[in-house]
Amino acid sequence: MLALRLTRAARLAVQLRRLLVAVASAGTGFLLLCALGHALTHPDTPGSSALRLAWCAAPLAATVYLAAAVARTDPGTRPRPGLSAIGLGPGRLMAVSATTTALSAALGSVAALSGFLYVRGDLTGTPVDGAVTEALALGQRLPAPAVVTLLTLVPAAASAAVALSLRPRDPRPAAATGPRRYGRFGAYGWGAARETFGTYGRYGARLASASAQPAGSSAAGGPPSGGGTLLAQASDTQPPAATDGPPPTSDAAPDPTPATPRPHTTTLPWGIAVLTAGLAVETYAGDTASPGTTPSAAVLLGWSLTVLGLALAGPGLSHLCGRLLQAARPGALRLLAGRVLMQESHRIGRPLGVVCAVACAAYAATTLYDTDGPDFGPLSTLGALVVAGCTVATLLTAAVEAKHARTDTTDALLRLGAPPATLRAAAAVRAGALLALFAPLTLVVAQLASLPLAR
């Protein structure tokens, strides 16, 4: 009931995003039912039917990806202060969000079943003529367990993905997630500042460190000694907090605001490696495929690895783009655009990489179907529209999420006197920089991916 009330009381933009999830679920469910109909119509070719079902994994993954992105931007299920007192903690809100996503996807599955029955003629008595009649199993009874299994696949996968992405995580202090530093010989722990070779032995270093200690900081309350100060610095396991106010006391409540996640720049080498592996698999599949046939499972595997590689490399490339914006003595505009792009690289980098991968796959598919390959039928068009629409909608949703995340920073800049035109110009500079980096990359990867298929 709580999920239904939150769904009904949501704003128009949230309802539109949920409607997108329902439409994507309807398209994916219709493709799954068509794969079932093809298997019933052609029982003597189970390999072809299994390949059609395997190709439905692309729109299924795109729909689940969109559902997870929409759930993250839902303001109704966002944790707020005081909700835990009435039983709406992070775990309960995660369950509500997963239930809301399952309802939206289930609505799409019902629409897919209604459309499939209408095309078959079960509702009107007259089937629709067209190129999809071989995938409708006309004159045969649909097995109810198979239909229910295929239609519940999208809601179950979407709700599971939402529950996994929004699961409660234990907050860890920022110092504990950083790299462990090693200072002078024997000083093992979290150093406040990195020490170079010979720092401890320099003239006056111990006197400076001893004089830097405030009075009354010894354990016994007396004057601090040099040896006690050095021992305390060496055995310290946490770096001192850099705060402008008084030190926190034991009665102070911890800050419930989670720390901003660091950009995933370490996934860039892995993304390049997986992308190279995907291109290699596509090359092998293109060499072994016979002309005029449907793309094999090896082509699907190669495209999946290409998508995964670009998705892994997207955050690192976006972070690199932000760094390049700040190179060569930047002004205020380029500095602001670069810093914001580096901060938001973990939010928009991965959806942007997926969009580039889908564009590469579309270019490769166009090259394949322009040659002596199979015809591009209505079901292929529907699958391409579902995948492309879901990826673009996910990118726009991630952009909205990033805009909401920097609301406090934007308000602070406006209070300091920054003109709104400067903020809009910085957004345009970020978009132009991303386009200048990812557009050539997309063209290069698309050309490499289409070369084996054009032979």
Side-chain angles (χ1 to χ4, degrees), residues 1 45 57 111 157 183 316 433:
M1 293 300 297
T45 57

Side-chain angles (χ1 to χ4, degrees), residues 6-270:
L6 291 176
T7 302
R8 187 181 59 182
R11 295 179 297 178
L12 179 60
V14 179
Q15 298 287 9
L16 289 178
R17 290 196 289 267
R18 292 172 180 170
L19 181 61
L20 288 177
V21 175
V23 171
S25 176
T28 305
F30 187 83
L31 291 174
L32 291 172
L33 292 177
C34 287
L36 174 63
H38 185 273
L40 294 176
T41 308
H42 304 83
D44 53 342
T45 57
S48 178
S49 301
L51 185 58
R52 285 175 175 264
L53 184 60
W55 275 102
C56 293
L60 175 61
T63 303
V64 172
Y65 194 43
L66 174 62
V70 169
R72 286 195 302 267
T73 57
D74 192 353
T77 57
R78 191 171 301 167
R80 297 183 183 90
L83 290 182
S84 298
I86 59 175
L88 292 177
R92 181 72 180 276
L93 290 178
M94 178 267 295
V96 170
S97 182
T99 305
T100 304
T101 304
L103 290 176
S104 301
L107 178 62
S109 297
V110 172
L113 179 60
S114 302
F116 187 76
L117 294 179
Y118 175 81
V119 173
R120 274 173 49 91
D122 294 339
L123 301 180
T124 59
T126 304
V128 177
D129 296 332
V132 297
T133 53
E134 63 175 5
L136 299 179
L138 298 178
Q140 301 185 32
R141 185 175 181 179
L142 296 176
V147 172
V148 173
T149 301
L150 291 177
L151 290 181
T152 57
L153 184 60
V154 179
S159 59
V162 170
L164 183 62
S165 61
L166 299 181
R167 67 187 185 278
R169 297 178 177 87
D170 295 332
R172 294 183 299 173
T177 60
R180 186 176 292 274
R181 296 170 178 171
Y182 298 87
R184 56 188 176 270
F185 179 75
Y188 175 81
W190 299 90
R194 188 173 181 178
E195 296 179 351
T196 58
F197 179 78
T199 302
Y200 181 73
R202 289 198 187 103
Y203 177 76
R206 285 171 291 179
L207 297 178
S209 61
S211 60
Q213 285 293 108
S217 61
S218 61
S225 60
T229 302
L230 295 177
L231 182 60
Q233 291 178 353
S235 60
D236 189 13
T237 58
Q238 292 290 340
T243 56
D244 297 330
T249 60
S250 59
D251 297 332
D255 187 11
T257 305
T260 303
R262 299 173 60 185
H264 301 283
T265 56
T266 56
T267 59
L268 181 58
W270 293 101

